Amino acid sequence: MKTENRSKSDIGMTPRRLEALVDGIFAIAMTLLVLSIDVPKIPADKVAAELPRYIRGLWPELSQYVLAFITLAAFWMGHHYRYRYIRRVDAGLLWINILALMFVALIPFTTELVGDYGEMPIAARLFEINMLLAGMAFCWQWLYATRHHYLVDDDLSDRIIKAGLMKELFIPALSVAGLVISCFSPSWSSSVYFLAPFLHHHNHRKRRGIRSD
Amino acid sequence: MKTENRSKSDIGMTPRRLEALVDGIFAIAMTLLVLSIDVPKIPADKVAAELPRYIRGLWPELSQYVLAFITLAAFWMGHHYRYRYIRRVDAGLLWINILALMFVALIPFTTELVGDYGEMPIAARLFEINMLLAGMAFCWQWLYATRHHYLVDDDLSDRIIKAGLMKELFIPALSVAGLVISCFSPSWSSSVYFLAPFLHHHNHRKRRGIRSD
Amino acid sequence: MKTENRSKSDIGMTPRRLEALVDGIFAIAMTLLVLSIDVPKIPADKVAAELPRYIRGLWPELSQYVLAFITLAAFWMGHHYRYRYIRRVDAGLLWINILALMFVALIPFTTELVGDYGEMPIAARLFEINMLLAGMAFCWQWLYATRHHYLVDDDLSDRIIKAGLMKELFIPALSVAGLVISCFSPSWSSSVYFLAPFLHHHNHRKRRGIRSD
Amino acid sequence: MKTENRSKSDIGMTPRRLEALVDGIFAIAMTLLVLSIDVPKIPADKVAAELPRYIRGLWPELSQYVLAFITLAAFWMGHHYRYRYIRRVDAGLLWINILALMFVALIPFTTELVGDYGEMPIAARLFEINMLLAGMAFCWQWLYATRHHYLVDDDLSDRIIKAGLMKELFIPALSVAGLVISCFSPSWSSSVYFLAPFLHHHNHRKRRGIRSD
């Protein structure tokens, strides 16, 4: 590992080491989502009648699981994208990262809440606020790292910095849309996150022409 | 890490980085399986009578734990096998992977369901459908990566591509067999997955003669 | 990996391999904290009335989650800082590490306890004792590794060794402060850990002038 | 990574890749142990009376947590020791490994059982049988890998092979001792595992004189 010579606040943390914690927390949060789907305790004499009804009623929990999973995957891909360009980690970036991970690790909780009480506007909104805060923390990271090319290469083009910012703003924008929709239809408001993979892919295709790395 | 020069949709994601997420999710899903085995709350005065009965009744949950564990291990080994040959990751492959992991992370849930209600055909079938969908997503990955040698080396032999496809189709085939058996005997249908390690080994032995890497 | 030639008790464990276990346990403990926030089972006819009340009552659990998360992050950063200088691992260091991780892995439990019963002095104190013991075990590690430059480079300056010790004593000191405050106000005593990131950052800024590595 | 040329059953799995799964499963199993300690739901008006009693009653669960944690740590260190010498992984070794991990991942369950019902011989015995089976599977791995120097270097000395076998037999021996003691005193039988770190360290010190690597 090459030592960075910048005299800026260097904490000797390499991006690679941070990625190990980040990958771990994402993998665990994504897998813990499954605990948001409860298996009921049905007395033996009622199983034949109740189990099929329970399984038919699984749909809200399963769809919430799916969209939390793909949004977390989109966040993880965003993190990977960001760290292609970030060369150094300082204490500020690290703590913004911890803040973002704190919201990421909370997602299994808000997912369970909306899976159980999705028809209540307040549950849907907590989920969307959770996603909004996580997205904004990741966005802050990018702004922090790229301002005056603080933690990125000096020759990183403004185009890539702006394209990165657009990417970062995408999930916060979906979350605001979800919050607005929740005023009319809480049950459907979280569905906006189904768009996460499509736009990521789209952004990517547009970016292809301007790659400079 | 050598940069790939292909002009195809390059997202700068290396197979190695993806493997970190994949290994994490497999390790966690395999370990979370244990949560599918509940420890009952028995009042102190009934422990002497109830605990031995509870332990004798553990068999369905334990055997379901075992076969889910070995099937996940077989999936993980399949993933490793696949990524020996996959040289690049693009957005399409990444999202097919996320889809597969979404079904993998769901397995602790369907395992708990069939451990608790294994005598109900619908529980056994949900487990088998879960495995079928995971297996098909992994199979799709292989087809996606090898079609026109898209993400593999240009000189990868057709024999290896076909042998890989056979491997990928193995757990989906077991799942279809399990679904058929579940019409006659739900409690036994999941036992087909006990074959997972044996056939993996068999495939491997057959492959030995045709290795070209 | 270069083999170390020292004739001291060499167990062939590289710091890198130990870090994999440590990163894993930290990532999991940080993510499991979310399980300390329970989602209640509210009967369908009472959801409209009870859910908003439950959500307003979440504050103690959420704030406990936040401060456990950032304290774990501070421990993790301390571990990283320590292992910048530790060159070898022997059986003694390994078992002190295991001891520290044992207290780290217990934090989700004491976090849940204080999230649920934070107004009880005994719950707050158990949390603070848990943090104190973890912090002291990490401190012990540093003393063990640096005494007579046992497991660090021979030319590591005394200044860095002392600065490291100050860092290690920081969370134990917060914990003692918390224990004292718990005699007057249990609900507020754990708030001392909100200082964790600030002082880490502060230590770091002071350290900048004396870096010798 | 240098490719191995041996014509033996090569599945292209490197020890390094296997270690990632193993480290993950150990880290998770060790952290999930904490879930074996339940936080009770005490009604608000009874907290002042019941919580201190609950905390005084935590001792069996906490001590079971501690000894499961250190035994898992000893297994993990044993795994590390083993893989210093194992150069290749074949399908047989992989599946023996999966078998061992299956018993490792089960330990949080048997730990919870004995933490809750430790005074019942059957609970203590299940825990000890779990440890015995895990230990025997790890022992089998070593025998499999070293027989005719199958997966180790050709010049690995018989002394190291035998010293390794002694190490592997240590936790199974403790487990047999625990099973015998459980006939007289179930509550104390698991305490044998408190010896795990001491003997590991002792073995290690004896080994120091005969290191040939």
Side-chain angles (χ1 to χ4, degrees):
Chain A
M1 253 161 284
K2 169 165 77 78
T3 327
E4 298 297 339
N5 291 341
R6 301 254 177 146
S7 62
K8 286 163 192 167
S9 145
D10 175 8
I11 53 165
M13 175 75 75
T14 57
R16 185 198 57 85
R17 184 99 161 87
L18 181 57
E19 281 177 355
L21 188 79
V22 167
D23 283 357
I25 287 182
F26 269 100
I28 301 155
M30 286 161 90
T31 323
L32 283 188
L33 289 175
V34 76
L35 301 184
S36 72
I37 312 176
D38 294 313
V39 174
K41 301 263 159 251
I42 307 175
D45 57 326
K46 290 188 180 163
V47 167
E50 301 251 324
L51 191 69
R53 191 165 50 192
Y54 156 75
I55 285 169
R56 278 193 303 273
L58 273 178
W59 187 241
E61 289 179 88
L62 274 178
S63 67
Q64 199 65 25
Y65 166 83
V66 168
L67 61 84
F69 200 94
I70 61 180
T71 314
L72 279 172
F75 274 134
W76 178 77
M77 286 164 71
H79 193 272
H80 172 79
Y81 175 81
R82 217 175 293 126
Y83 279 75
R84 287 170 74 183
Y85 300 111
I86 292 178
R87 294 284 171 264
R88 287 172 304 283
V89 178
D90 78 342
L93 189 73
L94 198 50
W95 281 108
I96 303 174
N97 218 323
I98 297 296
L99 185 77
L101 292 176
M102 206 173 69
F103 293 123
V104 162
L106 208 55
I107 290 173
F109 164 66
T110 49
T111 300
E112 183 168 359
L113 207 61
V114 82
D116 287 359
Y117 306 109
E119 73 288 357
M120 293 287 290
I122 198 170
R125 279 174 204 158
L126 272 182
F127 181 81
E128 286 141 16
I129 288 169
N130 191 350
M131 291 292 188
L132 178 62
L133 291 171
M136 279 168 59
F138 284 122
C139 187
W140 185 13
Q141 249 190 346
W142 184 246
L143 289 172
Y144 182 88
T146 57
R147 204 171 47 109
H148 308 313
H149 292 77
Y150 179 43
L151 299 169
V152 294
D153 283 338
D154 286 334
D155 59 355
L156 186 69
S157 77
D158 281 359
R159 256 174 159 173
I160 286 182
I161 291 176
K162 262 182 209 152
L165 187 60
M166 288 297 112
K167 251 178 154 37
E168 300 292 346
L169 287 172
F170 178 51
I171 290 175
L174 285 184
S175 303
V176 170
L179 283 167
V180 171
I181 297 172
S182 78
C183 302
F184 310 103
S185 166
S187 308
W188 286 98
S189 61
S190 295
S191 311
V192 293
Y193 296 105
F194 280 118
L195 296 173
F198 296 104
L199 270 91
H200 228 301
H201 191 58
H202 176 67
N203 274 6
H204 156 64
R205 293 172 66 102
K206 274 178 57 189
R207 215 180 57 239
R208 239 195 300 170
I210 56 167
R211 285 173 49 87
S212 70
D213 55 314
Chain B
M1 252 161 286
K2 164 164 82 77
T3 327
E4 297 298 338
N5 292 339
R6 302 252 176 148
S7 62
K8 285 163 192 167
S9 149
D10 174 10
I11 54 165
M13 174 76 73
T14 58
R16 186 197 57 84
R17 184 100 162 87
L18 180 57
E19 280 176 356
L21 188 79
V22 167
D23 282 357
I25 287 182
F26 270 100
I28 301 154
M30 286 162 90
T31 323
L32 283 188
L33 289 175
V34 76
L35 301 184
S36 72
I37 312 177
D38 294 314
V39 174
K41 300 263 159 255
I42 306 175
D45 57 325
K46 291 188 179 161
V47 167
E50 300 250 325
L51 192 69
R53 192 164 51 193
Y54 156 74
I55 284 169
R56 279 193 302 274
L58 273 178
W59 187 241
E61 289 177 89
L62 275 179
S63 67
Q64 199 64 25
Y65 166 83
V66 169
L67 62 83
F69 200 94
I70 61 180
T71 313
L72 280 171
F75 274 134
W76 178 77
M77 286 164 71
H79 194 271
H80 171 78
Y81 175 81
R82 217 175 294 126
Y83 278 75
R84 286 170 74 185
Y85 300 110
I86 292 178
R87 294 284 171 264
R88 288 173 304 282
V89 178
D90 78 342
L93 189 72
L94 198 50
W95 281 107
I96 301 174
N97 218 323
I98 297 296
L99 184 77
L101 292 175
M102 206 172 69
F103 293 123
V104 163
L106 207 55
I107 289 174
F109 164 67
T110 49
T111 300
E112 183 167 2
L113 207 60
V114 81
D116 287 358
Y117 307 110
E119 74 288 356
M120 293 286 292
I122 199 171
R125 279 173 204 158
L126 272 181
F127 180 81
E128 287 142 16
I129 289 169
N130 191 349
M131 291 292 187
L132 178 63
L133 291 171
M136 280 167 58
F138 283 122
C139 186
W140 185 14
Q141 249 191 344
W142 184 248
L143 289 171
Y144 182 88
T146 57
R147 205 171 46 110
H148 308 313
H149 293 76
Y150 179 44
L151 299 170
V152 293
D153 283 338
D154 286 334
D155 58 357
L156 187 69
S157 76
D158 280 0
R159 258 172 156 174
I160 286 182
I161 292 176
K162 263 182 206 152
L165 187 61
M166 288 297 112
K167 251 178 155 35
E168 301 291 345
L169 287 172
F170 179 51
I171 290 176
L174 285 184
S175 304
V176 169
L179 284 167
V180 170
I181 297 172
S182 77
C183 301
F184 310 104
S185 166
S187 309
W188 286 98
S189 61
S190 295
S191 311
V192 292
Y193 297 105
F194 280 118
L195 296 173
F198 297 103
L199 271 90
H200 228 300
H201 191 59
H202 175 69
N203 273 7
H204 156 65
R205 293 172 68 101
K206 274 178 57 188
R207 214 180 58 240
R208 240 194 299 168
I210 55 166
R211 284 173 50 86
S212 71
D213 56 314
Chain C
M1 255 159 283
K2 164 166 81 78
T3 327
E4 299 296 339
N5 291 341
R6 302 251 175 148
S7 62
K8 287 164 191 165
S9 147
D10 174 8
I11 54 165
M13 173 77 73
T14 58
R16 185 197 58 83
R17 185 100 162 84
L18 180 57
E19 281 177 355
L21 188 80
V22 167
D23 284 357
I25 286 182
F26 270 101
I28 300 154
M30 288 162 89
T31 324
L32 283 188
L33 289 175
V34 76
L35 301 185
S36 72
I37 312 174
D38 293 314
V39 174
K41 300 265 158 250
I42 306 174
D45 57 327
K46 291 186 180 164
V47 167
E50 301 251 324
L51 191 69
R53 191 163 53 191
Y54 156 75
I55 285 169
R56 279 193 302 273
L58 272 178
W59 188 240
E61 289 178 271
L62 274 178
S63 66
Q64 199 65 25
Y65 167 84
V66 168
L67 61 85
F69 201 94
I70 61 181
T71 314
L72 280 171
F75 274 134
W76 178 78
M77 285 164 72
H79 193 272
H80 172 78
Y81 175 80
R82 215 174 297 126
Y83 279 75
R84 285 170 75 185
Y85 300 111
I86 292 178
R87 293 285 171 264
R88 288 172 304 284
V89 179
D90 79 341
L93 188 73
L94 198 50
W95 281 107
I96 302 173
N97 218 323
I98 298 296
L99 184 78
L101 292 175
M102 206 173 69
F103 293 123
V104 163
L106 207 55
I107 290 174
F109 163 67
T110 49
T111 300
E112 183 167 1
L113 207 61
V114 82
D116 287 359
Y117 307 109
E119 73 288 356
M120 293 288 290
I122 198 171
R125 279 174 204 159
L126 272 180
F127 180 80
E128 287 141 16
I129 289 169
N130 191 350
M131 290 293 188
L132 178 63
L133 291 171
M136 280 168 59
F138 284 122
C139 187
W140 185 13
Q141 249 191 347
W142 184 246
L143 290 172
Y144 182 89
T146 57
R147 204 171 46 109
H148 308 313
H149 292 77
Y150 179 44
L151 299 170
V152 295
D153 282 338
D154 287 333
D155 58 355
L156 187 68
S157 77
D158 280 359
R159 256 176 160 171
I160 286 183
I161 291 177
K162 263 181 207 152
L165 186 61
M166 288 296 112
K167 252 179 154 35
E168 300 291 345
L169 287 172
F170 178 51
I171 290 175
L174 285 184
S175 303
V176 170
L179 283 167
V180 171
I181 297 173
S182 78
C183 301
F184 310 103
S185 167
S187 308
W188 286 97
S189 62
S190 295
S191 311
V192 294
Y193 297 105
F194 279 118
L195 296 173
F198 296 105
L199 270 93
H200 227 301
H201 191 56
H202 175 68
N203 273 6
H204 156 65
R205 293 173 66 102
K206 273 178 57 187
R207 214 181 59 240
R208 239 193 300 168
I210 57 165
R211 283 174 50 88
S212 70
D213 57 314
Chain D
M1 254 159 285
K2 162 165 83 78
T3 326
E4 300 296 338
N5 291 340
R6 303 252 175 148
S7 61
K8 286 163 191 166
S9 150
D10 174 8
I11 54 165
M13 173 77 73
T14 58
R16 186 197 56 85
R17 184 99 162 87
L18 180 57
E19 281 177 355
L21 188 79
V22 167
D23 283 357
I25 286 181
F26 270 100
I28 301 155
M30 287 162 89
T31 323
L32 283 187
L33 289 175
V34 76
L35 301 185
S36 72
I37 312 175
D38 292 314
V39 174
K41 300 265 159 252
I42 306 175
D45 57 327
K46 291 188 181 162
V47 167
E50 301 250 324
L51 191 68
R53 191 164 51 194
Y54 156 74
I55 285 169
R56 278 193 302 275
L58 272 178
W59 188 240
E61 289 178 89
L62 274 179
S63 66
Q64 199 65 25
Y65 166 83
V66 169
L67 61 84
F69 201 94
I70 61 181
T71 314
L72 280 171
F75 274 134
W76 178 77
M77 285 164 72
H79 193 271
H80 172 78
Y81 175 81
R82 215 174 296 127
Y83 278 77
R84 286 169 76 185
Y85 299 110
I86 291 178
R87 294 284 171 266
R88 289 172 302 285
V89 179
D90 78 341
L93 188 74
L94 198 51
W95 281 108
I96 302 174
N97 217 323
I98 297 296
L99 184 77
L101 292 175
M102 206 172 70
F103 293 123
V104 162
L106 206 56
I107 289 173
F109 163 67
T110 49
T111 300
E112 183 167 2
L113 206 61
V114 82
D116 287 359
Y117 306 109
E119 74 287 356
M120 292 288 289
I122 198 170
R125 279 174 205 159
L126 272 181
F127 180 80
E128 287 141 16
I129 289 169
N130 191 349
M131 291 292 187
L132 178 63
L133 291 170
M136 280 168 60
F138 283 122
C139 187
W140 185 12
Q141 250 191 345
W142 185 246
L143 289 172
Y144 182 89
T146 57
R147 204 170 47 109
H148 309 312
H149 292 77
Y150 179 44
L151 299 170
V152 293
D153 282 339
D154 287 334
D155 58 356
L156 187 68
S157 76
D158 280 359
R159 258 174 158 172
I160 286 182
I161 291 177
K162 263 181 207 153
L165 187 60
M166 287 298 112
K167 251 179 155 36
E168 301 290 345
L169 287 172
F170 179 50
I171 290 175
L174 285 184
S175 304
V176 170
L179 284 167
V180 171
I181 297 172
S182 78
C183 300
F184 310 103
S185 167
S187 307
W188 286 98
S189 61
S190 295
S191 311
V192 293
Y193 296 105
F194 280 118
L195 296 173
F198 297 103
L199 271 92
H200 227 299
H201 191 58
H202 175 69
N203 273 6
H204 156 65
R205 292 171 67 102
K206 274 179 55 187
R207 212 181 61 240
R208 241 194 297 169
I210 57 166
R211 284 174 48 87
S212 70
D213 57 313

